Amino acid sequence: MRNSFLAQNPSMLWFIALLAVFTIAVTLLSEVTGVGLISTSFVKTLGKTLCLCLVAIAMDVVWGYCGILSLGHFAFFGIGGYAIGMWLMYARTEGIVLDSLAGQPIPPTPAEISDAIGNQIFGVVGSSEFPMIWAFADNLFVQLVMVVLVPGLLALVFGWLAFRSRVTGVYLSILTQAMTLALALYLFQNDSGLRGNNGLSGLQNIPGFEETSQATISILFFLASAVALAAGYVFFAWIVSGKMGSVVKGIRDNEARVRFLGYHVESYKLFIFTTTAVVAGIAGALYYPQAGIINPGEIAPIASIYLAVWVAIGGRGRLYGAVIGATFVSLLSSWFTGGGAPDINLGFYTVQWTDWWLVLLGLSFVVVTLFFPKGIGGAFDYLVRKPS
Amino acid sequence: MSMLLEVNGVSVTFDGFRAINNLSINFAEAELRAIIGPNGAGKTTFMDIVTGKTKPDEGQVIWGDKNTSLLGLSESEIARKGIGRKFQKPSVFEAQTVRQNLAMALKTPRGPFAVLMHKKTKPNAQRIEAVAEQIGLQDSLTRNAGELSHGQKQWLEIGMLLAQEPRLMLVDEPAAGMTPEEREKTTDILKEAAKTRAVVVVEHDMEFVRRLDCKVTVLHEGAVLAEGSLDHVTSNQTVIDVYLGRSHA
Ligand SMILES: Nc1ncnc2c1ncn2[C@@H]1O[C@H](COP(=O)(O)OP(=O)(O)OP(=O)(O)O)[C@@H](O)[C@H]1O
Ligand SMILES: [Mg+2]
């Protein structure tokens, strides 16, 4: 069994090996070793990119392998970020508040401490009360459970309702967009309990690691992201191989046929939808401490569409394709939008990439879907023995 | 004698058009049956009803020794009860190998968890090879189903039915697009299959039906027009008028 799983996934070993080499190289060249060829901020960019690769392979499994074009998986990513962000923000604010109250002659009561923390966190939205959803924000373990539980439960309920009613194709895509839009709009409200459009910030400061430099923290998160990506890759490679893979790809290609073979298609879709949502949540929980901030804009419907674009450009139905797409497009995107690309002066008009990058991305998407349906990853089909 | 499948007084209307009109038809255990009838007679729709794809407006569909009604059941539940179906348009998983197609159909537990933990076993591999041999694809197990010829795809789909080990096989136009030699082989496969289970074949080709050498039911406008041996139904004047008189003769 183990042998056949490896034999079926020659690309997996390659991927893990390349990832390991890359991770070691980045670590050695970073500021922690004193070499400093790679700046701390670029280590963070690379670490975030690994998280985007993780959510992209989840997207590839749900869309490229199971044929469900979910345009809501970035919402699960964001939820994971919020769940861990609540603990990060609470614990750090608590530390600051305790420090500032420490000098007082009369020791503060727990209620006073809680009020002070509430004031610090919710002052921006004109409140100092702790909303219900912050009930366990002081407990890292509970918030870590939330990272998987909340996206998982949301996906389970949403998927159960949608798949049971046999909503498929573009209707399902629209429904998932509606879900992420609703979530983003809710989070934008000041009384959502999650600081409205301010979102959660200061997430790069890890409570308990105040003395540790950002250079070290960034490498730790980078390594954690690499391990998560490797684990996610192996996990999904296992899911989409063997008989499960057969059924899942069968559902993508001919749902009715699978049904008449006696498989309860809805259960399989629900399993894939929920599992990938959970992995998306984990990816988000690793991403946002590296980004330092999360706000409702992250969950905007367009983010989930980008996710689909990455996977399409990288090549659907092959996990390494999703990795290639996410890396390539997200790095290129930050280069273009971050002012890295020089503007082009045409004489009568100056092409500013911050504005025109989206047009370029949209065009690439159209070109890839029309002319290279296998995406960039499709080029590897000639090297790897067997494609999806 | 208790029937394997009883369809009683079933009617289906599509946008006011009665595709199946008070249809009653029964099948016995291990019976080979041919269903013929002009285009639009309701042959495919009849299969849709039995397999749970289409819900009838009225009537009963009763299955097996326990007289279970199939009407409230989903497609996958009906399939698990032992009814397999081959579609009119060949439906195999073209992106997967012949072996994977057959493995997916093989009678094994169907739940996601069982499938996830599924391990290849020797008996299952042997079963797949036996089925492949039956349909003449033993040398194509590692080929992608998409590379097969049209006739081979039809056989593969029949093979998937066999692998499912159903008690009733509903086979919609298995010989469509086949060469005469391929048709002959298809007849043999179906006749062999019918020794151990009921097989219902929808087919337009009279030669093919003759070679099946079984009881024939003529469907017309959603109801049974005639039933009996091929010679019996083909000598029926109404059958000649509505079906044989047309281009199919
Ligand atoms: N889902 C549907 N909606 C509307 N009309 C339908 C539907 N399914 C079948 N029909 C109609 O019902 C009638 C019976 O169709 P059916 O496919 O059962 O015929 P058939 O006997 O299989 O014909 P053929 O020999 O051409 O396959 C046809 O007139 C068809 O147009
Ligand atoms: Mg038909």
Side-chain angles (χ1 to χ4, degrees):
Chain A
M1 167 70 198
R2 214 184 137 63
N3 280 333
S4 75
F5 168 54
L6 283 179
Q8 271 187 33
N9 294 278
S11 70
M12 194 180 75
L13 290 178
W14 274 109
F15 176 77
I16 302 288
L18 284 174
L19 181 65
V21 170
F22 170 74
T23 310
I24 293 167
V26 169
T27 309
L28 290 180
L29 296 177
S30 73
E31 290 175 15
V32 271
T33 55
V35 177
L37 271 177
I38 299 178
S39 70
T40 294
S41 86
F42 198 61
V43 169
K44 286 188 181 183
T45 303
L46 293 176
K48 286 190 291 180
T49 305
L50 294 177
C51 299
L52 296 179
C53 289
L54 182 55
V55 66
I57 58 175
M59 178 68 193
D60 194 23
V61 170
V62 75
W63 180 34
Y65 283 91
C66 197
I68 305 167
L69 177 50
S70 163
L71 294 177
H73 264 58
F74 220 78
F76 302 125
F77 185 84
I79 292 174
Y82 265 101
I84 196 66
M86 287 161 75
W87 176 77
L88 287 169
M89 213 171 165
Y90 181 93
R92 173 158 180 269
T93 313
E94 186 184 36
I96 294 171
V97 164
L98 287 180
D99 276 353
S100 71
L101 292 179
Q104 299 207 343
I106 312 162
T109 64
E112 279 171 336
I113 296 175
S114 165
D115 274 355
I117 300 172
N119 242 322
Q120 283 278 325
I121 296 180
F122 299 106
V124 285
V125 288
S127 162
S128 62
E129 299 272 304
F130 268 102
M132 278 281 283
I133 45 172
W134 286 73
F136 300 103
D138 59 337
N139 189 325
L140 174 61
F141 178 74
V142 172
Q143 290 305 125
L144 284 176
V145 170
M146 295 286 187
V147 165
V148 298
L149 206 60
V150 179
L153 277 180
L154 180 61
L156 197 67
V157 171
F158 179 92
W160 187 73
L161 290 171
F163 299 141
R164 192 185 59 132
S165 321
R166 303 245 172 126
V167 182
T168 54
V170 66
Y171 300 100
L172 188 93
S173 303
I174 293 171
L175 220 55
T176 54
Q177 279 272 284
M179 174 197 77
T180 148
L181 180 63
L183 190 66
L185 289 179
Y186 171 74
L187 288 173
F188 263 121
Q189 291 179 311
N190 277 345
D191 54 8
S192 67
L194 289 162
R195 307 197 345 140
N197 63 354
N198 306 288
L200 310 179
S201 55
L203 309 183
Q204 73 279 19
N205 304 303
I206 313 301
F209 289 83
E210 285 82 1
E211 305 305 319
T212 314
S213 72
Q214 278 294 315
T216 307
I217 289 179
S218 69
I219 279 294
L220 290 178
F221 268 96
F222 173 78
L223 293 175
S225 305
V227 169
L229 176 58
Y233 199 98
V234 173
F235 175 68
F236 283 132
W238 175 61
I239 295 238
V240 300
S241 65
K243 195 156 182 178
M244 185 55 139
S246 265
V247 175
V248 165
K249 284 180 265 184
I251 290 172
R252 170 191 71 191
D253 295 335
N254 193 340
E255 187 176 320
R257 192 77 196 86
V258 178
R259 217 169 248 141
F260 289 113
L261 283 178
Y263 293 93
H264 191 247
V265 167
E266 289 68 37
S267 305
Y268 284 82
K269 286 184 171 180
L270 199 55
F271 169 72
I272 293 292
F273 193 74
T274 307
T275 315
T276 52
V278 166
V279 172
I282 294 171
L286 281 164
Y287 179 94
Y288 288 102
Q290 301 181 73
I293 178 161
I294 180 170
N295 60 48
E298 299 282 318
I299 290 176
I302 189 75
S304 294
I305 295 179
Y306 281 147
L307 188 55
V309 170
W310 297 344
V311 172
I313 289 180
R316 270 184 286 163
R318 38 180 70 65
L319 294 178
Y320 53 89
V323 170
I324 294 169
T327 311
F328 185 65
V329 184
S330 73
L331 286 180
L332 218 54
S333 165
S334 42
W335 188 61
F336 275 113
T337 56
D343 292 344
I344 299 175
N345 194 339
L346 297 174
F348 58 96
Y349 184 81
T350 305
V351 178
Q352 291 187 317
W353 285 115
T354 37
D355 298 333
W356 280 86
W357 156 244
L358 269 191
V359 178
L360 185 67
L361 182 62
L363 281 177
S364 330
F365 177 61
V366 172
V367 168
V368 164
T369 27
L370 286 183
F371 302 108
F372 307 99
K374 290 178 173 181
I376 304 173
F380 287 80
D381 286 358
Y382 301 102
L383 304 175
V384 182
R385 193 174 48 84
K386 194 164 218 114
S388 71
Chain B
M1 177 169 107
S2 166
M3 286 289 160
L4 180 62
L5 180 73
E6 289 179 41
V7 174
N8 292 330
V10 165
S11 297
V12 173
T13 311
F14 293 119
D15 311 315
F17 169 72
R18 237 168 203 247
I20 296 288
N21 189 5
N22 196 18
L23 172 71
S24 298
I25 186 168
N26 297 331
F27 303 95
E29 201 91 45
E31 169 184 21
L32 179 59
R33 175 87 61 96
I35 297 184
I36 59 174
N39 293 108
K43 305 181 295 293
T44 300
T45 308
F46 150 74
M47 292 192 176
D48 287 346
I49 292 168
V50 174
T51 54
K53 189 177 177 212
T54 300
K55 302 276 169 246
D57 306 327
E58 53 189 75
Q60 297 170 302
V61 180
I62 294 164
W63 169 254
D65 330 304
K66 294 195 199 117
N67 293 330
T68 325
S69 168
L70 294 182
L71 290 184
L73 304 183
S74 72
E75 296 99 315
S76 57
E77 284 170 318
I78 293 175
R80 288 198 296 273
K81 288 222 175 286
I83 300 182
R85 167 175 192 182
K86 186 205 151 309
F87 289 84
Q88 188 162 346
K89 175 177 171 287
S91 305
V92 295
F93 301 105
E94 306 215 341
Q96 305 195 39
T97 63
V98 170
R99 188 192 299 279
Q100 285 172 322
N101 271 274
L102 292 174
M104 219 191 301
L106 215 58
K107 190 174 182 187
T108 46
R110 291 314 202 212
F113 192 71
V115 165
L116 195 59
M117 294 301 157
H118 175 83
K119 292 207 169 40
K120 289 182 181 142
T121 64
K122 198 138 193 218
N124 281 346
Q126 283 166 346
R127 179 94 188 91
I128 290 174
E129 264 147 42
V131 171
E133 185 129 8
Q134 239 174 315
I135 54 173
L137 290 178
Q138 65 273 30
D139 297 327
S140 305
L141 279 170
T142 54
R143 284 174 73 195
N144 264 1
E147 301 168 9
L148 300 178
S149 72
H150 181 83
Q152 288 175 317
K153 282 182 196 168
Q154 300 265 39
W155 287 334
L156 176 55
E157 198 175 354
I158 294 173
M160 287 163 75
L161 286 194
L162 295 171
Q164 250 179 292
E165 296 176 33
R167 284 174 74 191
L168 171 65
M169 273 170 68
L170 301 171
V171 190
D172 206 348
E173 305 208 11
M178 281 189 174
T179 62
E181 301 81 64
E182 287 175 332
R183 281 162 194 256
E184 206 163 318
K185 178 158 178 202
T186 308
T187 339
D188 295 342
I189 297 172
L190 293 173
K191 283 172 89 165
E192 178 64 32
K195 286 183 183 159
T196 47
R197 76 205 74 222
V199 177
V200 177
V201 186
V202 164
E203 192 47 68
H204 280 302
D205 182 66
M206 279 304 162
E207 260 325 293
F208 187 90
V209 174
R210 183 168 303 282
R211 224 175 296 120
L212 283 178
D213 187 26
C214 64
K215 185 169 162 187
V216 177
T217 300
V218 185
L219 233 54
H220 177 55
E221 292 179 348
V224 174
L225 184 66
E227 201 163 81
S229 72
L230 185 61
D231 290 329
H232 170 79
V233 298
T234 48
S235 59
N236 180 316
Q237 192 55 45
T238 343
V239 174
I240 295 171
D241 289 346
V242 304
Y243 186 46
L244 301 175
R246 299 205 208 172
S247 55
H248 288 298

